[in-house]
Amino acid sequence: MRHITPGRNRRAIIPAAYLSPSSIREVIEFRQVVEGKTAQRAALRATDNDLLQLEEILSAMEKWKHDPQRFAKEDLTFHLYLAKITQNSLLVETLNIIRSLLSQAMYYTILHRGHSQGLTDHRLMINSIAKRDGAATMRIMEKHISEAYQTMEQWILQNAAADSNQEPS
């Protein structure tokens, strides 16, 4: 099987507006489109070793729950590992290309949402993957990303309101 590898212009698709409120929104919208199906396929293709690896990543997330930056790093590792489980090299490479954007969006989401629901959602995903229940895993992921989107939308609206209330100097 031939694997897709990025070309020289790999970074050309990364937005120049590096995580402005609108680009955070775009990153989460991208995740809404891609990650539900990724989770579904991962549930159908996961091996026992993959489940062990997901458990280790979740343990690391738990360990770093009071450090948003480290927690976000482990959170991203979990999502990238789900992509790896799908055995779809194009999906894996696409997520790796935008890895830094995903990482920053996850970090901002964790800052505003906390870690508790993320840990709960990831546990539910592992449990449904262990049952090889692709539909349930997809629903859990879709809810997970949707709630992150709602959190960031509220933050964006609050910032817009705060910016409009400030008087010019």
Side-chain angles (χ1 to χ4, degrees):
M1 171 188 239
R2 187 167 178 237
H3 291 280
I4 310 271
T5 55
R8 288 180 292 157
N9 297 323
R10 169 183 186 157
R11 302 275 179 221
I13 67 167
I14 296 176
Y18 207 66
L19 287 195
S20 66
S22 64
S23 57
I24 291 172
R25 183 182 291 122
E26 289 177 359
V27 171
I28 297 175
E29 286 174 354
F30 173 85
R31 293 182 67 202
Q32 285 179 311
V33 170
V34 172
E35 290 202 55
K37 287 289 191 181
T38 298
Q40 178 187 38
R41 283 188 174 79
L44 300 175
R45 295 180 178 165
T47 65
D48 289 342
N49 188 53
D50 290 328
L51 285 166
L52 289 173
Q53 186 63 37
L54 290 172
E55 289 287 354
E56 287 181 24
I57 297 167
L58 184 61
S59 292
M61 290 173 70
E62 179 68 37
K63 175 183 176 183
W64 296 109
K65 67 185 178 186
H66 298 297
D67 181 339
Q69 197 160 23
R70 294 292 300 266
F71 184 89
K73 180 180 181 245
E74 297 302 331
D75 192 354
L76 177 60
T77 300
F78 186 95
H79 289 264
L80 293 175
Y81 196 79
L82 287 178
K84 180 181 176 193
I85 293 170
T86 69
Q87 302 170 24
N88 183 313
S89 62
L90 181 59
L91 179 60
V92 171
E93 282 303 321
T94 299
L95 292 178
N96 277 321
I97 288 169
I98 63 167
R99 178 186 203 119
S100 62
L101 294 175
L102 292 169
S103 177
Q104 287 191 11
M106 287 178 173
Y107 173 71
Y108 288 129
T109 302
I110 291 160
L111 282 180
H112 297 285
R113 188 168 184 231
H115 63 272
S116 295
Q117 192 59 49
L119 289 171
T120 299
D121 291 346
H122 287 81
R123 165 55 53 213
L124 292 171
M125 280 184 253
I126 291 172
N127 292 346
S128 65
I129 291 168
K131 294 175 187 172
R132 307 304 191 248
D133 189 340
T137 308
M138 182 172 68
R139 282 191 304 274
I140 295 163
M141 179 64 81
E142 288 173 343
K143 176 184 168 286
H144 178 67
I145 303 297
S146 178
E147 289 172 353
Y149 186 85
Q150 291 169 5
T151 297
M152 295 317 294
E153 277 296 309
Q154 290 172 354
W155 175 71
I156 290 166
L157 291 173
Q158 288 170 353
N159 277 351
D163 289 346
S164 69
N165 289 332
Q166 290 182 352
E167 294 181 30
S169 359

